[in-house]
Structures are given as C-alpha cells and as structure tokens.
Amino acid sequence: MSTYREIEINGEDIIIKEVQNFDLKDIFDCGQAFRWNKTESGSYIGVAFDRVMEVKKRGNDVILYDCSMEEFNKTWREYFDIDRDYSEIIEKLRVDETLKMACEFGNGIRILQQDPFELTISFIISANNQIPRIKKSIERISERWGRKIYYKGNEYFTFPTIDELKEAEVQDLEQCGVGFRAKYIYETIQKVLIDKEILNTIKAFEDDECHKGLVEFKGIGPKVADCIMLFSMGKYSAFPVDVWVKRAMMHFYVAPDVTLPKIRKFGRDKFGNLAGFAQQYLFYYARENNIL
DNA sequence: TGCCAGGAAAAGA
DNA sequence: TCTTTTCCTGGC
C-alpha cells in the first residue's frame, strides 16, 4: 500500500508535505542507524550513501536540505520509507494490548532502508556493545578509510566501500576500537572481496534463506542477521531479539526462562510479516522506559 | 544443550 | 572511585 504524498521543491530543498508517523527522535533513537546526530536547531545531520544529509521537521512537513527531486526519488524516498502507510501497520498491531502501548509511544518510528554493506559491518560491531561506542568505532572506520566530504564548512567522512577497505588489516581495525570484533570484520571484508555481489545475492533471497545466508558470516548470529535483513534488506518478518526485546517479551508475553530462539519464533509467529515493525516498537518502548 | 570468554567504555552505585 | 553492564557470537 502506498499513499500519495505531495512533494515540493523549495529552492535547493525538498519538502514532503503532511507526513504522518515520522518523528526524527523516534527514527534515529530506535537503534537502527548510527551515523545521525541532532543539531542545535533540532534538525538531524547524518552521512549516508556518500553524502551528508540534513533533515528537519516543520509541523508535519519533512524538509530534506540541498536535495534535488531526482536524488529524492532515487535515494531518500526509499531510505526514509516515505511511501509506506505506518498508520495501517499500527492499526493492525494495536489489537495487541502491549503493542498498542508501544505503538502509541513510538508512533513516529520509520524503518530506514540502509546500505547492506555498511549495515553488515555496523551490526557486527554492535554485538555485546553499547551505542555511544558503536558510533565511535564507525566514525573511526569512516575517518580512516572513507572519503572526506564537507557540509556547511564541517568535515564528514563517508562509510568506506568494500574497495576502500581491501587493505584493512585486523590490527588497523582494532585501532578503531572494535575490540574482539576486528577479526570478524576482517573476515567479512575478505568474503565480500571474493564475491562483491554476495550481499545483494542474499538480499534477493526469501526471508528465511536470507537469514541463513547472513549467519554464515563470522560475527553474525541470529540477532545481528535479523537487524541486517530488517534495516537494509527490506525483510519485515525479521524479529531481532536483543536484551531489551528479551526483557519486553519476558515482561509482557513469555516465561522468564525462555531461550532466545524461542522468543524469536514466538515473535515471528505472533506478528508475521509485521514482526520487524513490532520489534522496533517494543525495543524502543522497552529501552526508553527502562522496563525490567 | 548450556556456559563463558571476549575490548573497553558507559552507566550505575 | 569502583563495579556492573553493555542492542551477542563463537567455541568448547
């Protein structure tokens, strides 16, 4: 289902009129992206797809600064999932009392569609890690191997391409603060160097096959695979079970001693092809409210 | 199947 | 200041 939205050009900027369920804090604080930061003016600046993007809300309008209609249609429309009607998803999920509460809390969430290679490396780093440190590691990797770009007089760095990372050694990666995950990142780089289309191939698979393909990488377990397929491969039956979702599920649905694979199966069976959305609402609700 | 090591820094006490 | 926890995976 897609809903028509009015898109306007205003000087150098794109204005998407009257967007519902689109809140910048919800989108960038729900743990799916690591390269966006809030500015003093209330906008968010991030690096994605080789450029710096600044986004701001004005009423219910979304402004994308310095962006042509062509670029918007080619890249950001899909990235911000503009054509999806989230009220329809919330309508279906809110029959469940817990989800009703979680959806109301995080009603501005959108699941971004990011670059599979960047997401794969980023979520390998995320394993048993915390967000400030994950962000720092990704910044260091970008500074070291990415391309320097400028926005409003400030320096930014693109996330490196596979070719830019081909010389990276385990030791170099360790210097970026990724710790024991360095060898997993190194092995993933080698694997992608051998077959540069491997992530696109995996992306084209059905959801379960996609998950199987991803967990074959060192450093990618069930949780990280679910994140990669949900945030960069459009696989919405994914149900990443991290510490917060586990807490939320144990709090609201299942017995305290249930294993992670069982929680994952429970979530996927319960929410079907909306599992990924349900997970995001639950995760955000649980973490922001510090539920036990 | 279940347990635990594995960076280092944030968050909590 | 010190201790615990951290969006978990691999290997035993």
Side-chain angles (χ1 to χ4, degrees), chain A residues 66-113:
Chain A
D66 199 13
C67 180
S68 69
M69 189 62 86
E70 190 190 2
E71 189 190 343
F72 170 74
N73 283 323
K74 183 168 168 273
T75 306
W76 305 102
R77 190 169 198 131
E78 190 188 349
Y79 183 85
F80 284 111
D81 210 12
I82 295 299
D83 293 308
R84 190 181 309 277
D85 186 347
Y86 278 71
S87 67
E88 216 168 76
I89 293 167
I90 291 171
E91 206 53 47
K92 286 178 186 159
L93 289 176
R94 62 182 287 133
V95 297
D96 179 274
E97 278 303 311
T98 304
L99 258 299
K100 180 175 180 240
M101 188 173 66
C103 288
E104 274 166 17
F105 178 78
N107 69 75
I109 289 177
R110 260 161 204 272
I111 296 186
L112 303 176
Q113 283 306 317

Side-chain angles (χ1 to χ4, degrees), chain A residues 86-277:
Chain A
Y86 278 71
S87 67
E88 216 168 76
I89 293 167
I90 291 171
E91 206 53 47
K92 286 178 186 159
L93 289 176
R94 62 182 287 133
V95 297
D96 179 274
E97 278 303 311
T98 304
L99 258 299
K100 180 175 180 240
M101 188 173 66
C103 288
E104 274 166 17
F105 178 78
N107 69 75
I109 289 177
R110 260 161 204 272
I111 296 186
L112 303 176
Q113 283 306 317
Q114 306 176 69
D115 175 69
F117 180 64
E118 176 176 338
L119 256 278
T120 299
I121 303 296
S122 299
F123 274 89
I124 288 174
I125 296 170
S126 81
N128 198 31
N129 208 342
Q130 33 201 24
I131 290 167
R133 206 158 74 92
I134 299 166
K135 290 176 95 167
K136 207 170 283 175
S137 296
I138 294 171
E139 282 318 304
R140 285 191 204 162
I141 288 173
S142 302
E143 281 165 24
R144 179 147 186 174
W145 291 285
R147 216 161 30 78
K148 191 189 283 185
I149 48 178
Y150 292 93
Y151 181 71
K152 289 185 173 172
N154 294 315
E155 271 183 7
Y156 295 85
F157 293 86
T158 61
F159 189 84
T161 62
I162 179 61
D163 290 311
E164 286 168 335
L165 281 168
K166 67 169 180 265
E167 307 285 333
E169 299 292 339
V170 175
Q171 218 179 301
D172 304 324
L173 292 159
E174 275 170 355
Q175 287 171 359
C176 298
V178 300
F180 62 90
R181 307 162 192 87
K183 56 181 183 292
Y184 304 148
I185 298 170
Y186 177 81
E187 285 188 37
T188 297
I189 292 168
Q190 303 316 308
K191 201 164 167 173
V192 178
L193 279 171
I194 291 166
D195 175 8
K196 290 185 184 171
E197 286 304 308
I198 190 165
L199 291 173
N200 288 329
T201 305
I202 290 171
K203 182 178 178 177
F205 291 161
E206 290 303 313
D207 294 25
D208 288 330
E209 291 304 312
C210 181
H211 193 264
K212 278 183 197 160
L214 287 169
V215 295
E216 280 175 21
F217 286 73
K218 284 268 177 65
I220 301 183
K223 188 267 173 182
V224 168
D226 274 326
C227 288
I228 296 167
M229 64 192 268
L230 179 59
F231 303 141
S232 76
M233 297 181 175
K235 305 291 194 241
Y236 299 104
S237 77
F239 194 77
V241 183
D242 54 63
V243 50
W244 290 103
V245 170
K246 182 181 158 215
R247 283 176 191 160
M249 294 298 280
M250 292 192 314
H251 189 82
F252 295 114
Y253 298 106
V254 299
D257 56 343
V258 170
T259 60
L260 294 178
K262 281 183 180 164
I263 297 175
R264 177 172 189 265
K265 184 177 178 345
F266 182 91
R268 296 189 79 210
D269 290 346
K270 186 170 179 61
F271 303 115
N273 63 350
L274 296 179
F277 298 100

